[in-house]
Amino acid sequence: MAIPNPKANRNAAIRRFVVVLLAVSVAVIFLILSLTNTAPEVSGKEDEGLLSLPPLDLYSSGLHFVRRSVLAVRSDPLRSRAELIRKQVGDHAAVAGAYTSFARRLKLESSKQARLFVELARNLSLLLAAHRPFLESAAPLDEATVRGFERGVKDRIRAARLLIADAKESFDNQLKIQKLKDTIFAVNEQLSKAKKAGAFSSLIAAKSIPKSLHCLAMRLMEERIAHPDRYVDPPTPPPELEDPKLYHYAIFSDNVLAASVVVNSAVRNAREPWKHVFHVVTDRMNLGAMQVMFRMKDYSGAHIEVKAVEDYKFLNSSYVPVLRQLESANLQRFYFENKLENATKDTTNMKFRNPKYLSMLNHLRFYLPEMYPKLHRILFLDDDVVVQRDLTALWKIDMDGKVNGAVETCFGSFHRYTQYMNFSHPLIKEKFNPNACGWAYGMNFFDLDAWRKEKCTEQYHYWQNLNENRTLWKLGTLPPGLITFYSTTKPLDKSWHVLGLGYNPSISMEEIKNAAVVHFNGNMKPWLDIAMNQFRHLWTKYVDYDLEFVHQCNFAA
């Protein structure tokens, strides 16, 4: 039987006590460390302080926990608390300042809101400035000082959050609108560039000479050179060319085929072709081709005179303002200087930058009384028209003392004088009514006796001289025509002259069928590939495809 050893039992109890004591000590140490590592920055739930405010969606404020090391156990918790308050003040001041700049840029209807943002940002900045000494001081902070700072900040931040929350939705919508506006602006810029490029390309296509048309002019000229005796004018002009009892037409063109179509259509639809006289005027370069073209057939007895503009000796730069202006260096630079911006900077009036508008062939219409001094009346026709019925009834119209018989083109607010002239100029504003109705060139019946009486050519010269710097109207012949015949134009029935076959595809065929003259004004001329197919046959049926030279140049029917 073993005998118990009191000493051994005592030693075992001591060892157990020491182990328990060590375990308790370690547990206490770990508990203390865990408490110091995750200590909340704000203690005291009874204080409804700054950090108990609901978090702002832009800045997730809430309760911030600061990770601290064992070495930071002895740091001042009030210092950290004050630093956090200062950070929140600065953040809200920055947000208020940002919204202020947005409010100014977007020009919101409520200017009061913008002023509130400015005032709020200023107050927050002043608050920080007032407490900077104790925030930047190295001395320990006391609880009372921090609580006072917090109370001063509390109301301002609450006001800031309410103001920002109230404005947020408005600003978001305004920003979306601004983005849409920016997008629309960018698209409009692209559209504007595309329109300019398209207009320029269309202008090139419209003003270029097709290969077949160039071929015809060359072959006709070859015939003129090869057989000069066949095309010599008689020494004495036929008396019919100056007989005022006949029906006289004026056609000014450098397009051989187009001029022949005008004459063909007028002759074929005339009841008595031998009573019709056509005065065709071209430039010196195309004179030979024109002479051959109109000598190759008899045109049912109609009388045709072919002359060059150079044959009218009175048309010189000392008398004609357009010729004098053409000698100007500024005008030459405007039209002939090879720069891209000259071609595309004025899309609306780009066509007027074409040098053809300075050609005397376009301005001859203002000199009809001097070109044909023995005539009383004359019908002016553009080279892009087609005559569809007998026109002799025009000579029976009572002109009521007016000079120009023309079809008016205005409807609603369109084609009024204000669209053709610069009514910001005091002289234009004083002399003309901006709502006066415009009319069309292309088929114009002129009473030459009334013209001479009204001194219309002198009026044209007066206004053309004033417009040398192009401040009264853009280039072209219609604006000076509207001015020259402002109070001396007699409106004709619209069935005499239907326009738009060179740009408007929606003209009704019934209207075209009833028209005496149809006009292919616009870029889509019937002799070009870009012509509108639904109207082209109205022109091609008067082309002399049976002529040898026309056949050789492969004109499409």
Side-chain angles (χ1 to χ4, degrees), residues 28-197:
V28 170
I29 291 172
F30 277 104
L31 179 61
I32 293 173
L33 288 176
S34 65
L35 290 175
T36 57
N37 283 338
T38 60
E41 191 176 10
V42 180
S43 61
K45 295 183 180 179
E46 71 282 1
D47 182 13
E48 295 180 358
L50 166 66
L51 301 180
S52 62
L53 290 172
L56 182 63
D57 59 343
L58 296 178
Y59 303 93
S60 47
S61 304
L63 292 176
H64 288 243
F65 293 90
V66 182
R67 303 297 300 179
R68 299 178 181 175
S69 65
V70 176
L71 297 177
V73 173
R74 295 184 179 179
S75 63
D76 186 359
L78 293 177
R79 172 69 62 184
S80 300
R81 179 176 168 186
E83 287 295 329
L84 181 59
I85 295 172
R86 179 169 68 172
K87 182 178 182 301
Q88 287 191 328
V89 173
D91 289 346
H92 284 78
V95 172
Y99 274 102
T100 302
S101 64
F102 275 122
R104 286 172 176 164
R105 189 179 70 179
L106 298 176
K107 297 180 180 178
L108 294 178
E109 294 180 1
S110 176
S111 59
K112 178 182 178 181
Q113 195 174 48
R115 290 196 300 271
L116 288 175
F117 278 123
V118 173
E119 185 178 354
L120 179 62
R122 185 186 301 113
N123 288 342
L124 290 171
S125 299
L126 291 175
L127 181 65
L128 286 178
H131 290 81
R132 185 174 292 115
F134 88 88
L135 287 173
E136 295 180 354
S137 173
L141 298 178
D142 59 86
E143 181 72 17
T145 304
V146 174
R147 285 183 180 276
F149 178 41
E150 187 175 357
R151 282 194 296 269
V153 169
K154 174 181 172 181
D155 293 337
R156 289 178 175 83
I157 287 189
R158 179 179 284 112
R161 290 185 174 184
L162 290 175
L163 183 59
I164 292 170
D166 181 59
K168 184 177 183 296
E169 183 177 355
S170 298
F171 276 107
D172 286 348
N173 291 336
Q174 289 296 326
L175 289 174
K176 290 176 182 177
I177 292 172
Q178 187 63 41
K179 287 181 180 179
L180 287 174
K181 286 183 178 179
D182 292 342
T183 303
I184 292 172
F185 178 79
V187 172
N188 281 335
E189 285 290 305
Q190 295 177 359
L191 179 62
S192 177
K193 291 180 181 178
K195 282 183 176 180
K196 286 183 178 181

Side-chain angles (χ1 to χ4, degrees), residues 7 17 74 103 111 136 140 213 248 308 398 438 454 506 553:
K7 186 177 180 180
F17 175 77
R74 295 184 179 179
S111 59
E136 295 180 354
L213 194 59
H248 291 263
D398 185 359
E454 296 289 341
S506 62
C553 291

Side-chain angles (χ1 to χ4, degrees), residues 312-325 327 360 363-364 366-371 451-452 455-462 464-465:
Y312 298 94
K313 301 302 181 183
F314 70 91
L315 296 174
N316 52 62
S317 59
S318 62
Y319 178 65
V320 180
V322 168
L323 292 177
R324 183 169 61 254
Q325 291 168 11
E327 299 173 355
M360 271 310 299
H363 290 266
L364 279 181
F366 293 103
Y367 300 96
L368 288 170
E370 296 162 281
M371 296 173 67
W451 184 316
R452 298 179 184 104
K455 298 183 179 180
C456 292
T457 301
E458 288 82 349
Q459 285 291 318
Y460 164 70
H461 284 175
Y462 170 77
Q464 193 69 46
N465 284 325

Side-chain angles (χ1 to χ4, degrees), residues 293-313:
M293 190 70 178
F294 289 107
R295 293 283 183 87
M296 296 183 71
K297 54 186 292 188
D298 62 1
Y299 291 94
S300 301
H303 310 280
I304 301 175
E305 177 191 39
V306 179
K307 298 185 73 173
V309 65
E310 290 82 1
D311 294 333
Y312 298 94
K313 301 302 181 183

Side-chain angles (χ1 to χ4, degrees), residues 430-449:
E430 177 187 354
K431 297 290 185 180
F432 304 99
N433 178 7
N435 294 318
C437 189
W439 44 264
Y441 264 135
M443 192 213 76
N444 302 82
F445 188 72
F446 291 109
D447 186 326
L448 301 183
D449 292 334

